[in-house]
Amino acid sequence: MSANADVSRLIGSFSGIGTLGILVLMALASLAIIVWFARDGGFAGERERLEGRVAPGIAFLALKAVVVYAISHFELLVGGYPGQYLWLLLIPAANLVAGCIVAARFRQSKPERYARLGRAESVC
């Protein structure tokens, strides 16, 4: 019976880490929308301003508040006592850093393919 308890705690902890990761990605996606439209210069009309700045800005601020709250009460996501599993925050942080490093290397070694990422056309 104790083995099942350990497995369920492990599954719960990793589910909490995944939840925090999704929240961070959603906040970054909202910020990316603002940056994309600012670089593209796509704020011609009022609708574009609402869709490209205001709505993603509100979403980013709200999600940022949720992420800060989730980190400050991380024990509610992963279980345990307050501060007991704060080291688990290194998992999503390490993944974010690793992703940035891979993207920077990819951008430097294959700039033409990097420029086409996220487009509807084929990347291969």
Side-chain angles (χ1 to χ4, degrees):
M1 190 70 170
S2 65
N4 288 338
D6 292 339
V7 171
S8 65
R9 180 177 294 271
L10 183 68
I11 291 171
S13 294
F14 282 112
S15 295
I17 294 168
T19 300
L20 180 64
I22 295 295
L23 289 171
V24 169
L25 287 174
M26 290 170 61
L28 290 175
S30 298
L31 184 62
I33 292 169
I34 297 168
V35 172
W36 173 269
F37 279 111
R39 285 184 183 172
D40 192 38
F43 297 120
E46 186 169 334
R47 180 176 175 180
E48 287 81 11
R49 270 187 241 114
L50 285 174
E51 291 176 354
R53 278 190 191 156
V54 177
I58 292 170
F60 173 70
L61 292 175
L63 286 165
K64 180 181 169 186
V66 171
V67 167
V68 168
Y69 184 78
I71 290 173
S72 65
H73 296 290
F74 193 60
E75 72 276 0
L76 296 176
L77 286 176
V78 297
Y81 301 108
Q84 183 178 10
Y85 295 118
L86 284 179
W87 61 272
L88 289 174
L89 287 171
L90 294 174
I91 295 172
N95 283 317
L96 181 64
V97 170
C100 290
I101 290 170
V102 168
R105 284 193 173 175
F106 191 61
R107 184 178 190 179
Q108 193 174 33
S109 65
K110 300 176 183 178
E112 66 284 343
R113 289 185 69 189
Y114 180 84
R116 291 194 318 255
L117 285 175
R119 307 279 185 194
E121 60 208 42
S122 175
V123 186
C124 296

